[in-house]
Amino acid sequence: MSDPAAFESRLEKRSEFRKQPVGHSRQGDFIKCVEQKTNALGKQSVNRGFTKDKTLSSIFNIEMVKEKTAEEIKQIWQQYFAAKDTVYAVIPAEKFDLIWNRAQSCPTFLCALPRREGYEFFVGQWTGTELHFTALINIQTRGEAAASQLILYHYPELKEEKGIVLMTAEMDSTFLNVAEAQCIANQVQLFYATDRKETYGLVETFNLRPNEFKYMSVIAELEQSGLGAELKCAQNQNKT
């Protein structure tokens, strides 16, 4: 096994990273290194316009909605965010429980974002009920100083009583637009809420058996799901 720090230094430039064949034997060392660094994600002081301590009560009156049905709360949540430039969702309790339970043993993952030229990888790290994402290249070059570029906030306060978990997000718009952030958010459900063993197996492999993890398997799963197709189509249309 090579020294992860030495391996990481050789991967600091994107061009050098591309030279590494998929499934390279040293890749496991690199993933361990990534995991060590992503542990700092979400623990830094919040910057670049992210809200510190973004609570549900800071968004709306929890006591007021307790009298509402789950369907009414869902409509209120959707109406509130419909005009805002962000990502949001209402997640059924059983689906969130599945995601949450899996996140306890597998808190880190890699997702692929379609770009005009190929894909860009983003690393996700659970910190409590917040899910922080930053670009893999950001971690390679900035290490523990890599800031979150997207945060998904999950609010389980109404889960027991109403059977729903509310979710919204904040993003660094210099790196991501709403469609791109939505594509990343959709992959959380694709990989963590799936009934397909092979799909969640990628998450387990990344966390538990990093030597066996292959980057291209994430892209293959994304393409098979069709989640990135609409985004890629829009990017192609925007070409000048």
Side-chain angles (χ1 to χ4, degrees):
M1 297 277 278
S2 62
D3 174 25
F7 179 56
E8 182 236 339
S9 70
R10 289 199 295 275
L11 289 186
E12 282 188 346
K13 294 178 182 174
R14 191 190 292 254
S15 59
E16 289 186 13
F17 177 57
R18 282 179 177 155
K19 290 175 190 171
Q20 295 291 345
V22 172
H24 193 269
S25 60
R26 291 174 179 164
Q27 187 168 262
D29 289 346
F30 172 60
I31 292 171
K32 286 173 190 168
C33 202
V34 166
E35 287 184 319
Q36 288 165 6
K37 289 180 175 181
T38 51
N39 284 336
L41 269 183
K43 296 176 185 174
Q44 308 165 39
S45 58
V46 176
N47 55 11
R48 282 191 172 274
F50 288 103
T51 308
K52 189 169 176 62
D53 302 322
K54 188 179 177 73
T55 61
L56 182 58
S57 57
S58 70
I59 300 175
F60 66 20
N61 188 325
I62 301 173
E63 292 304 315
M64 181 189 75
V65 300
K66 280 188 175 176
E67 304 302 316
K68 307 283 187 185
T69 65
E71 187 57 36
E72 287 171 330
I73 295 170
K74 180 178 179 179
Q75 289 175 358
I76 292 170
W77 190 255
Q78 291 173 336
Q79 287 168 3
Y80 179 80
F81 285 106
K84 299 183 186 300
D85 218 18
T86 192
V87 172
Y88 58 93
V90 178
I91 307 169
E94 59 275 13
K95 181 175 283 189
F96 179 79
D97 284 341
L98 178 61
I99 294 171
W100 180 247
N101 289 336
R102 288 172 164 178
Q104 302 316 296
S105 57
C106 296
T108 310
F109 191 53
L110 197 72
C111 64
L113 183 67
R115 294 296 198 189
R116 285 187 183 180
E117 302 297 330
Y119 288 84
E120 182 174 15
F121 289 108
F122 278 75
V123 179
Q125 172 75 30
W126 286 89
T127 303
T129 54
E130 294 180 7
L131 181 50
H132 292 246
F133 286 93
T134 194
L136 177 59
I137 191 71
N138 201 22
I139 293 175
Q140 289 172 338
T141 54
R142 296 181 58 82
E144 291 186 5
S148 302
Q149 293 168 326
L150 169 67
I151 306 175
L152 303 183
Y153 301 95
H154 300 84
Y155 300 110
E157 286 91 330
L158 301 171
K159 182 168 75 77
E160 300 305 323
E161 197 175 333
K162 305 295 182 181
I164 54 175
V165 172
L166 303 174
M167 185 274 278
T168 187
E170 289 184 321
M171 73 204 77
D172 185 343
S173 58
T174 60
F175 291 98
L176 293 166
N177 61 36
V178 175
E180 290 164 344
Q182 185 68 64
C183 183
I184 291 174
N186 288 343
Q187 288 182 65
V188 179
Q189 300 219 10
L190 171 66
F191 289 107
Y192 277 92
T194 181
D195 293 329
R196 191 169 175 266
K197 287 182 180 178
E198 294 85 351
T199 305
Y200 177 61
L202 297 179
V203 183
E204 291 183 306
T205 302
F206 186 85
N207 284 269
L208 308 175
R209 300 181 302 281
N211 285 311
E212 300 172 22
F213 184 80
K214 292 179 174 57
Y215 291 87
M216 289 303 295
S217 57
V218 172
I219 294 174
E221 200 68 39
L222 180 64
E223 290 183 343
Q224 186 177 329
S225 73
L227 282 181
E230 190 176 328
L231 183 59
K232 213 158 183 58
C233 182
Q235 289 169 340
N236 290 334
Q237 288 174 350
N238 290 335
K239 283 184 178 178
T240 51

